[in-house]
Every structure is written in structure tokens, then in C-alpha cells.
Amino acid sequence: MSAQADEGSPFSLLPEEGRQHFRLLELPPDLLELIVSEPSTSLHFKSGPKSSKAGLNSDAVICTPNKTYNIRQVNTSNSVYICQPTSHNDDDDDENPQPGLQAIAQSSWTLELSSTASPSAVPYLKAALPTYSSTGTYQSNELRASKQQIFDDTPLSQAECEAAWKDLACFEVESDPKGCFLPTASAKVQVWRAILESATAAGVDFGGNQLSLKQVEMVIDRSDEDWPDELGRAMLASVCDHEGMIDQGRGVRAVGLDLLAVEGTRGMHVSELLKKWKDALPEKWRAAAKVEALPRSEYTLSDDRKTITLAGVGSGVAAAAAESKSTLGAKRKWHERFRESKKTAK
Amino acid sequence: MPAIPLHPPAASRTPSIPNPLPQLLQTPSGLAIVEIQGTLNSTLSAPQMGPHGSIPLGKLSFPLYDPLAAVQNTAWQKLVYLYVGRHQRLTGEVRKLGKPLAVVRKRGGNAGVSDDGGEGREAMEIVEVVYYKVLFAHRPEPVGGGVEG
């Protein structure tokens, strides 16, 4: 009976100097499916700019064209060898090479992937883009990054970046100045009001059948415009659906939020908001102007629901919590305040 | 920071060397994963290394594997031996990975040369997708040469 140690295929190790460097990446079912059945789909490792701002992730992610996976490095104390067949075995004679297995790399950690909870590129764009304000002033933009460069620096998929770009009515200007900009809320309100006035004067029916961005663009009078065409187009796109058709829901929501951002950072009367809101909408949209039409996370109500405040900015409750969070020694107070505000916010 | 592309496995990958592993563990590129609890320590000095610079460890064996048996026969997966040197043996098994693993490396191999046009942009590639591993989770036991255990 031959020695048991003679059975089996030779197994060898490459010394450390010769080893290759691999990473092991766990594939969730949907990503596996994509790689196996649609291998031409582009995948990218991305990471965001280093930042301690809340809501900004500076860790690495993997993106498909429309989905983002967070990456988590998980270590193991085991020795995980990546092996390949070899025919070079030291105890063979060259005339009878026996196929063997050789460990060509070792990895002590695996990358695990998880889906992002509710991915939004909005905070990244807000952090990265200089503003364009209603006075026609461009914030200084030394970087002059292109739209794609900004997207490349954002740890979210191309589709998620495009969605945020569209929602925020961001625009890119070719020259004088060159670069990408984020319009302020008051700039957006101003542009929207002008577009609405011009379109209404030209007989555009906002309550009617499918109305496309192109149709509106064609009829509006640009002669009095102080702002770049690109912003006008971006403003219209922000109220369109993904097929380029004007969408009442998006329009009502965008105008309401922008008005709240302009006047409601320290709170405003709900009645005042509703009045201005309706004034800024086409007649057939006005009935839809209600507080409930705004995303719940964007505002807080107080004073028996008579006062509405933009969330997360200025003297809102969320902002106060964020401010005291950065104060050393106030940690306990912040937790108490935050807990309180969680109870009262509706 | 620029986005780094991750390329899929090459459609045409085939191993050029015969694969000693059971069919189930064979992948198009030949890559496989072997996991050992603890570490393998090599005390071999240079003259003891193999002619191609590799460190011989021992033998990997699947004693219950029968390539002619029906695919549904999976009992062989429960017993794998890794003989280390002439006197030790690890016992392990074949495990299906809960989530398949992509084996990823920098494109252009290890030379650090990018084959990405003139841009020299960093790129990564998935070399293989592996669905199984061989796991050795038990302490090594001594085996005598030539003696039935």
C-alpha cells in the first residue's frame, strides 16, 4: 500500500515575492446576475471627496450605471489562498509532469457589498457646486470641473447623479464663466416665474394633454432674460418626468420647496406660503398646492400647524441639533434635545 | 477622484494547463480558493524550494471523488485531505460560497503597466467568479508514511 501522503495532486505555494495581488469581492445576487448575463455593463469603483460633512460618504463604492453598493472590508484570521493549476512540480520528472495546484496569492480580507439605503447625490452636488444667485452672480469657481468630473467624484451611480442634477436644476456653462453651477432657490423661483409668465402669455396650457419641455422652450420669450439659457432649460427639466414631459406633481413640489427655501428658513406662516405658491403656479395646478404635497423630510410644522419651517437649515430644530453636535462637552445635551425634537416633529 | 473601471471576466478565458481539481471546482480560468484555518508556516530554506521558486507543501486529495459518478452524488465533497509535508494531514471539505466571490486584480497584471490606451488610467478586472471553496477547519493530525490510519 503506497503511503497516503503520495495520493493526491501536488500542492505548492509561491513565495511571497512571487505572489500576485488579488482582492476578493462578494457578489450579491443582482450584481452576479449582471456580470454573468450582461458583462458589457460598465462597473466602476468610486469614492467621494474626503469630508466630515453629514450625509457625505468618503468610503469606496461600486457602481453599475444605475445602482450603488457600499463596500465593507471584512477580515479573516484564516489563510485564504487563491490557487491555479500548475504543471511545474518539484518532485516530477519533466517527462511525466503531474498537474498540481499552486497558491499564487493570499487574501486576508474580503470586500462585502451592501445596497445604499436611500441614495441621493443631492448633498454631494450641493457641496461640490458653486452657486448662481438671483442677482445673476456666479460664486467663484476656481476648479472649473466639468459635469462628468463632478459625477466621477461622487460615490453614486451615473443615473443617481443625473437624477440629483436634474432635481436641483444644475447647469453647465461653456464660457464666461466656464463650469457647473447650482442655482439658489431664489434664482430658481425667479426663472420659473418668468418662464410661467412667458408660456402662459404664449397660450401654453399647463393642465392639458402631454406637454413636453421642447414645446414650452419653443414658445417662451427669452429676450428679457438675464440668465443663461442653460439655466432656463435646467429649470424646465427639473419639472419634467424622465421622458421630458412636464409633470404637475414635480412642478408643484419644486415651486413649493423653492419658495419655502427662500422665505421659510426661520419659519413662515403656512397661509403665506400657500398664497405665494398658488400665485407662482399655472391656474390648473393651484389646487394641488398643499403642505402635504411637500416631501415630509423637507419641513417641520409648529405652532399648531400654522407655521412651516424649512428643515435642516437656519434656526430649524434639526439645525440646532447639528450645531450643538459639534460643541465639545455638549454631547449629552444634544442627545436630549434631539430626542425631544424627534417626539414633537410630526 | 476618477472613477476606476472594473472589467468583467474575459469571455475567452481558458486554462492552458490541465486542472487537477474535481469538475465542480474547475473554473474557466482555473482559479480556485483554498482556505485554511490558521497559517501555513514555511521553514524551508532556498535550496529546498522547487526549481521554479515555488514552495512545495504536499498533496491535495479528494479520496471519495469519482469523476464518473453522477453529478448528484455530492458525498465526496465532505472529505478533502491536504497532506502537508510527509507527516501531517489536514481534513477539510468543499463548501459552496454563500455569495460567489469575484477575484479582482489591477488590469495589466502585476507589472503596473496600464494597457488602457494612452491615458494610463487605473483599471481593475474580475479575473474569475468562484462559487466554491475548499475549507480546512480542523487541526492537522499526524500521519505516518505508509501506515494506514
Side-chain angles (χ1 to χ4, degrees):
Chain A
M1 176 63 84
S2 60
Q4 285 175 318
D6 284 340
E7 289 176 17
S9 318
F11 188 76
S12 60
L13 236 56
L14 268 188
E16 285 202 38
E17 317 81 73
R19 288 188 196 167
Q20 298 184 36
H21 298 284
F22 290 106
R23 300 178 204 197
L24 295 175
L25 180 67
E26 264 192 8
L27 299 174
D30 47 357
L31 188 57
L32 172 72
E33 176 68 27
L34 204 62
I35 289 169
V36 166
S37 50
E38 286 170 72
S40 59
T41 310
S42 57
L43 299 174
H44 288 88
F45 283 102
K46 297 180 84 176
S47 68
K50 297 287 170 208
S51 173
S52 50
K53 283 189 193 166
L56 297 190
N57 171 28
S58 55
D59 294 333
V61 296
I62 284 187
C63 294
T64 70
N66 52 25
K67 192 169 170 170
T68 304
Y69 297 89
N70 291 323
I71 300 177
R72 188 170 82 109
Q73 182 178 310
V74 178
N75 289 8
T76 175
S77 54
N78 290 359
S79 304
V80 179
Y81 293 101
I82 295 149
C83 309
Q84 74 182 13
T86 178
S87 58
H88 306 306
N89 293 301
D90 75 307
D91 49 27
D92 290 339
D93 47 284
D94 285 329
E95 278 149 27
N96 258 335
Q98 192 188 0
L101 205 63
Q102 183 171 79
I104 58 171
Q106 184 183 351
S107 180
S108 52
W109 41 274
T110 307
L111 300 178
E112 284 185 359
L113 299 184
S114 57
S115 296
T116 336
S118 40
S120 171
V122 164
Y124 296 94
L125 294 182
K126 283 186 172 173
L129 293 172
T131 56
Y132 171 91
S133 68
S134 53
T135 53
T137 314
Y138 295 88
Q139 199 175 21
S140 98
N141 180 23
E142 287 149 11
L143 217 56
R144 294 166 180 239
S146 71
K147 179 178 168 189
Q148 191 55 50
Q149 283 172 319
I150 289 168
F151 284 9
D152 283 350
D153 211 22
T154 301
L156 285 164
S157 70
Q158 187 77 10
E160 285 154 342
C161 291
E162 289 282 9
W165 178 273
K166 178 170 174 252
D167 283 351
L168 293 171
C170 299
F171 62 101
E172 186 170 21
V173 195
E174 282 309 305
S175 60
D176 206 31
K178 184 178 161 68
C180 300
F181 296 90
L182 170 78
T184 59
S186 42
K188 287 175 70 189
V189 168
Q190 191 180 43
V191 171
W192 168 256
R193 279 188 171 132
I195 288 175
L196 181 60
E197 202 179 291
S198 181
T200 309
V204 170
D205 179 12
F206 280 90
N209 288 341
Q210 302 274 298
L211 182 63
S212 78
L213 182 153
K214 288 202 172 78
Q215 283 172 290
V216 179
E217 250 195 328
M218 273 197 302
V219 300
I220 53 182
D221 178 7
R222 292 184 190 279
S223 50
D224 284 337
E225 265 176 39
D226 290 333
W227 51 82
D229 286 351
E230 291 86 346
L231 173 53
R233 188 166 308 122
M235 188 63 226
L236 273 175
S238 72
V239 303
C240 285
D241 62 22
H242 53 270
E243 282 163 7
M245 307 303 283
I246 304 279
D247 181 289
Q248 177 179 314
R250 288 182 70 99
V252 168
R253 204 159 47 236
V255 173
L257 278 176
D258 286 336
L259 284 169
L260 184 60
V262 171
E263 299 190 36
T265 52
R266 291 182 189 280
M268 68 189 294
H269 291 299
V270 169
S271 51
E272 179 74 13
L273 173 66
L274 291 177
K275 178 172 169 301
K276 292 193 160 138
W277 196 356
K278 288 177 202 285
D279 272 351
L281 290 175
E283 201 183 316
K284 291 185 183 175
W285 291 10
R286 286 175 192 160
K290 296 175 190 170
V291 171
E292 293 73 40
L294 300 174
R296 192 60 199 82
S297 53
E298 301 288 335
Y299 66 90
T300 53
L301 287 171
S302 53
D303 192 21
D304 198 23
R305 298 179 66 91
K306 292 207 203 92
T307 302
I308 184 168
T309 312
L310 187 72
V313 188
S315 61
V317 175
E323 273 165 9
S324 48
K325 187 179 180 180
S326 60
T327 307
L328 285 169
K331 194 172 180 189
R332 182 175 296 188
K333 284 188 190 161
W334 172 73
H335 279 303
E336 282 168 16
R337 272 217 259 175
F338 187 67
R339 211 173 291 128
E340 255 179 0
S341 70
K342 270 178 106 168
K343 281 190 210 136
T344 56
K346 298 227 172 32
Chain B
M1 211 196 100
I4 299 171
L6 174 62
H7 296 279
S12 58
R13 65 199 187 281
T14 41
S16 46
I17 294 165
N19 194 326
L21 292 170
Q23 187 65 40
L24 186 71
L25 302 176
Q26 294 189 13
T27 58
S29 64
L31 289 181
I33 292 177
V34 173
E35 183 173 338
I36 300 174
Q37 213 165 59
T39 48
L40 290 172
N41 288 317
S42 166
T43 52
L44 297 180
S45 57
Q48 288 177 291
M49 283 194 204
H52 304 278
S54 67
I55 302 167
L57 206 73
K59 305 267 188 176
L60 181 67
S61 124
F62 298 84
L64 302 179
Y65 180 63
D66 176 3
L68 301 173
V71 166
Q72 297 91 307
N73 266 356
T74 58
W76 64 270
Q77 295 176 22
K78 292 288 179 202
L79 189 64
V80 187
Y81 289 137
L82 178 61
Y83 294 91
V84 179
R86 299 203 74 77
H87 302 294
Q88 286 188 310
R89 183 178 75 186
L90 294 163
T91 303
E93 59 176 352
V94 173
R95 284 263 182 99
K96 182 162 189 182
L97 295 174
K99 290 202 181 111
L101 284 174
V103 181
V104 175
R105 72 166 170 219
K106 239 183 203 168
R107 204 172 223 197
N110 293 302
V113 175
S114 171
D115 59 351
D116 200 284
E119 268 197 337
R121 236 176 41 149
E122 211 183 325
M124 309 282 293
E125 62 182 354
I126 298 175
V127 182
E128 189 56 83
V129 177
V130 178
Y131 296 84
Y132 294 89
K133 68 180 176 187
V134 183
L135 172 64
F136 293 95
H138 300 291
R139 295 167 63 83
E141 41 181 2
V143 288
V147 177
E148 196 68 36

